[in-house]
Structure formats: structure tokens, C-alpha cells
Amino acid sequence: KTGVQEKAREARYQLMTDKCRQLGITCLMTAHHADDLLENYLMRKKKKASLLGLSFSDNYFVNDVEIIRPLLKYHKADLLNYLKVNNIKWIEDESNKNDYYERNRVRKEIEAGGTKKKHDLYIEMLQVNEQAKKVNNELVKSIAEVVEIYQQGFAIINLNKFAQLIPDVQIYIIN
């Protein structure tokens, strides 16, 4: 009853990446756009996600297949306009109209806020993403310098070096 869309997404990606691997395809492009990112961002923000949890990436891997999202800089309205101008037909998923799903409610909330509020949220999301990239880079470097992991399943943190790290990185290391 819960997580239906998440489970459906995972199943779709499993099917697509299985087929890619079967055909020797190493890269899969999706049509995710800026509005999709905004919806994800707002849903995660409402759930009080961490800084890194609010971030996004243009590409990632599923099942050893690289997923690339080349349309993230474009808003849905821009893409629809392009399709209309070029007389290209598209299919709209009927489930996008169902308020049962959180994403659809969030989408309506964003649209109800108007263009300025949507733009401000978009700028906020981009700023948070840049901050998350910096923290992630610092985190990777810091773990290598501050944490020593042993085969027996434990780790030792160099407290002198740890104390010099920024608080966000300290929190992630402790987690």
C-alpha cells in the first residue's frame, strides 16, 4: 500500500538495465527534467532529508549501466513547447493526475505557488546541490585522512584531525 511508485520505479530500472546489459548497452538516457528535480527536492525537504539527501546528480549507475539525465536544465513547459512547435506527439502518464501519490500533490503545490516561487525554489535547490557537492568532496577526502578501517569490522577516528573538520563533515563521519 505504500511506496508503490518507488517500487515501480525500481522495477522499471531493473527491466531497462537488464535489457541494456543483454544488448551490450552501457548507457541509458532518461527524460527527467528540472521540474522532476524540484518535486524530488521538495518531497525530501519536507521529510527533513540531510544535505546530501537533498542533492542530485546528472548521472549515476544502476545494475552497472550508467543512467544519464541530459534534460535536467530544462523545465517541462519548455520541453512541451518544443514538442508542440515541432509537431511531435507524446504520451502523458494518467497516474500523474491522481492525488493519491505524493509527487502529484507536490507538483500541484509547486505550480500553485506561481512562477516566482517556483523560480526561487529552483535557485535554492541548485544552491543546496552545490553545497552538497562541496561537502561530499570534503567528506570523501576527510574519511581517507581521518578514519582508519580495519578488516575486523571496526574503525578508529583520529580525533585531532576530526576536530579540525567542518561540522557537516563531522556529522556524516559519525553517521
Side-chain angles (χ1 to χ4, degrees), residues 3-20 28 60 62-63 67:
V4 172
Q5 286 191 321
E6 176 70 17
K7 288 179 179 115
R9 184 186 69 75
E10 289 171 5
R12 280 193 309 273
Y13 276 93
Q14 188 65 47
L15 284 170
M16 290 187 293
T17 57
D18 283 348
K19 191 63 172 180
C20 285
L28 174 66
Y60 56 96
V62 173
N63 202 12
I67 309 298

Short mmCIF file of all heavy atoms in Angstrom, two decimals, residues 3-20 28 60 62-63 67:
data_model
loop_
_atom_site.label_atom_id
_atom_site.label_comp_id
_atom_site.label_asym_id
_atom_site.label_seq_id
_atom_site.Cartn_x
_atom_site.Cartn_y
_atom_site.Cartn_z
N GLY A 3 4.72 3.17 -0.96
CA GLY A 3 5.91 3.06 -1.78
C GLY A 3 5.67 2.43 -3.15
O GLY A 3 6.60 1.90 -3.76
N VAL A 4 4.43 2.49 -3.63
CA VAL A 4 4.09 1.86 -4.91
C VAL A 4 4.90 2.47 -6.04
O VAL A 4 5.49 1.75 -6.86
CB VAL A 4 2.57 1.98 -5.20
CG1 VAL A 4 2.24 1.49 -6.61
CG2 VAL A 4 1.77 1.22 -4.16
N GLN A 5 4.97 3.80 -6.09
CA GLN A 5 5.70 4.44 -7.17
C GLN A 5 7.20 4.14 -7.08
O GLN A 5 7.86 3.94 -8.10
CB GLN A 5 5.44 5.95 -7.19
CG GLN A 5 4.06 6.28 -7.71
CD GLN A 5 3.89 7.76 -7.97
OE1 GLN A 5 4.37 8.60 -7.23
NE2 GLN A 5 3.20 8.08 -9.05
N GLU A 6 7.73 4.10 -5.87
CA GLU A 6 9.15 3.79 -5.68
C GLU A 6 9.45 2.37 -6.15
O GLU A 6 10.43 2.13 -6.86
CB GLU A 6 9.54 3.96 -4.20
CG GLU A 6 10.95 3.57 -3.88
CD GLU A 6 11.99 4.51 -4.45
OE1 GLU A 6 11.65 5.65 -4.82
OE2 GLU A 6 13.16 4.10 -4.55
N LYS A 7 8.59 1.43 -5.78
CA LYS A 7 8.80 0.04 -6.20
C LYS A 7 8.64 -0.10 -7.71
O LYS A 7 9.39 -0.85 -8.35
CB LYS A 7 7.83 -0.87 -5.46
CG LYS A 7 8.18 -1.04 -3.99
CD LYS A 7 7.21 -1.93 -3.26
CE LYS A 7 7.62 -2.07 -1.82
NZ LYS A 7 6.70 -1.51 -0.89
N ALA A 8 7.69 0.62 -8.28
CA ALA A 8 7.50 0.59 -9.74
C ALA A 8 8.72 1.17 -10.45
O ALA A 8 9.17 0.63 -11.47
CB ALA A 8 6.24 1.35 -10.12
N ARG A 9 9.27 2.25 -9.91
CA ARG A 9 10.46 2.87 -10.50
C ARG A 9 11.63 1.89 -10.45
O ARG A 9 12.35 1.70 -11.44
CB ARG A 9 10.82 4.16 -9.75
CG ARG A 9 12.00 4.92 -10.38
CD ARG A 9 12.41 6.11 -9.53
NE ARG A 9 13.01 5.73 -8.27
CZ ARG A 9 14.24 5.26 -8.11
NH1 ARG A 9 15.03 5.10 -9.14
NH2 ARG A 9 14.70 4.95 -6.92
N GLU A 10 11.83 1.25 -9.30
CA GLU A 10 12.92 0.28 -9.18
C GLU A 10 12.75 -0.87 -10.17
O GLU A 10 13.72 -1.31 -10.80
CB GLU A 10 12.99 -0.26 -7.74
CG GLU A 10 13.49 0.75 -6.74
CD GLU A 10 13.34 0.29 -5.29
OE1 GLU A 10 12.94 -0.88 -5.06
OE2 GLU A 10 13.63 1.10 -4.39
N ALA A 11 11.52 -1.35 -10.33
CA ALA A 11 11.26 -2.44 -11.28
C ALA A 11 11.51 -1.99 -12.71
O ALA A 11 12.09 -2.75 -13.51
CB ALA A 11 9.82 -2.94 -11.12
N ARG A 12 11.10 -0.76 -13.05
CA ARG A 12 11.35 -0.24 -14.41
C ARG A 12 12.84 -0.17 -14.70
O ARG A 12 13.30 -0.59 -15.76
CB ARG A 12 10.73 1.16 -14.57
CG ARG A 12 9.26 1.18 -14.84
CD ARG A 12 8.78 2.56 -15.30
NE ARG A 12 9.20 3.66 -14.46
CZ ARG A 12 8.55 4.09 -13.39
NH1 ARG A 12 7.43 3.49 -13.01
NH2 ARG A 12 9.00 5.13 -12.70
N TYR A 13 13.59 0.38 -13.75
CA TYR A 13 15.03 0.50 -13.94
C TYR A 13 15.69 -0.89 -14.02
O TYR A 13 16.63 -1.08 -14.79
CB TYR A 13 15.68 1.36 -12.85
CG TYR A 13 15.61 2.82 -13.18
CD1 TYR A 13 14.57 3.61 -12.72
CD2 TYR A 13 16.57 3.42 -13.99
CE1 TYR A 13 14.49 4.95 -13.05
CE2 TYR A 13 16.50 4.76 -14.32
CZ TYR A 13 15.45 5.52 -13.84
OH TYR A 13 15.37 6.84 -14.18
N GLN A 14 15.22 -1.82 -13.24
CA GLN A 14 15.77 -3.18 -13.30
C GLN A 14 15.51 -3.78 -14.68
O GLN A 14 16.43 -4.34 -15.30
CB GLN A 14 15.15 -4.06 -12.20
CG GLN A 14 15.82 -5.42 -12.08
CD GLN A 14 17.26 -5.32 -11.62
OE1 GLN A 14 17.59 -4.61 -10.68
NE2 GLN A 14 18.15 -6.05 -12.29
N LEU A 15 14.28 -3.64 -15.19
CA LEU A 15 13.95 -4.16 -16.52
C LEU A 15 14.79 -3.48 -17.61
O LEU A 15 15.35 -4.14 -18.48
CB LEU A 15 12.47 -3.95 -16.82
CG LEU A 15 11.49 -4.90 -16.15
CD1 LEU A 15 10.05 -4.42 -16.34
CD2 LEU A 15 11.65 -6.31 -16.71
N MET A 16 14.86 -2.16 -17.54
CA MET A 16 15.60 -1.42 -18.57
C MET A 16 17.09 -1.74 -18.54
O MET A 16 17.71 -1.96 -19.58
CB MET A 16 15.37 0.09 -18.42
CG MET A 16 13.96 0.53 -18.79
SD MET A 16 13.74 2.33 -18.79
CE MET A 16 13.91 2.74 -17.06
N THR A 17 17.67 -1.77 -17.34
CA THR A 17 19.11 -2.02 -17.26
C THR A 17 19.43 -3.48 -17.57
O THR A 17 20.49 -3.77 -18.14
CB THR A 17 19.69 -1.59 -15.90
OG1 THR A 17 19.00 -2.27 -14.84
CG2 THR A 17 19.60 -0.08 -15.72
N ASP A 18 18.54 -4.41 -17.23
CA ASP A 18 18.73 -5.80 -17.62
C ASP A 18 18.79 -5.92 -19.14
O ASP A 18 19.65 -6.60 -19.70
CB ASP A 18 17.62 -6.71 -17.08
CG ASP A 18 17.76 -7.02 -15.60
OD1 ASP A 18 18.84 -6.74 -15.02
OD2 ASP A 18 16.79 -7.55 -15.03
N LYS A 19 17.86 -5.24 -19.82
CA LYS A 19 17.83 -5.27 -21.28
C LYS A 19 19.08 -4.60 -21.86
O LYS A 19 19.65 -5.09 -22.84
CB LYS A 19 16.55 -4.58 -21.80
CG LYS A 19 16.30 -4.79 -23.27
CD LYS A 19 16.07 -6.26 -23.56
CE LYS A 19 15.63 -6.47 -24.98
NZ LYS A 19 15.39 -7.89 -25.28
N CYS A 20 19.49 -3.48 -21.28
CA CYS A 20 20.71 -2.81 -21.73
C CYS A 20 21.90 -3.76 -21.65
O CYS A 20 22.68 -3.88 -22.61
CB CYS A 20 20.99 -1.56 -20.90
SG CYS A 20 19.92 -0.16 -21.27
N LEU A 28 22.15 4.56 -20.50
CA LEU A 28 20.72 4.74 -20.72
C LEU A 28 20.36 6.19 -20.41
O LEU A 28 20.69 6.70 -19.34
CB LEU A 28 19.93 3.80 -19.79
CG LEU A 28 18.41 3.95 -19.77
CD1 LEU A 28 17.80 3.55 -21.11
CD2 LEU A 28 17.83 3.09 -18.64
N TYR A 60 24.27 8.54 -12.80
CA TYR A 60 24.54 7.57 -11.75
C TYR A 60 24.47 6.19 -12.38
O TYR A 60 24.18 6.07 -13.58
CB TYR A 60 23.58 7.72 -10.56
CG TYR A 60 22.12 7.62 -10.93
CD1 TYR A 60 21.43 6.42 -10.80
CD2 TYR A 60 21.42 8.72 -11.42
CE1 TYR A 60 20.09 6.32 -11.15
CE2 TYR A 60 20.08 8.63 -11.76
CZ TYR A 60 19.43 7.42 -11.63
OH TYR A 60 18.11 7.31 -11.98
N VAL A 62 23.00 2.13 -12.32
CA VAL A 62 22.06 1.12 -11.85
C VAL A 62 22.43 -0.17 -12.57
O VAL A 62 22.50 -0.19 -13.81
CB VAL A 62 20.59 1.50 -12.16
CG1 VAL A 62 19.65 0.35 -11.81
CG2 VAL A 62 20.18 2.77 -11.44
N ASN A 63 22.70 -1.22 -11.81
CA ASN A 63 22.94 -2.52 -12.44
C ASN A 63 24.10 -2.45 -13.45
O ASN A 63 24.03 -3.04 -14.52
CB ASN A 63 21.64 -3.00 -13.10
CG ASN A 63 21.59 -4.50 -13.31
OD1 ASN A 63 22.41 -5.23 -12.79
ND2 ASN A 63 20.63 -4.93 -14.09
N ILE A 67 23.19 5.75 -15.98
CA ILE A 67 21.94 6.47 -16.25
C ILE A 67 22.31 7.94 -16.41
O ILE A 67 22.88 8.54 -15.51
CB ILE A 67 20.92 6.32 -15.09
CG1 ILE A 67 20.72 4.85 -14.70
CG2 ILE A 67 19.62 7.01 -15.44
CD1 ILE A 67 20.16 3.96 -15.77
#
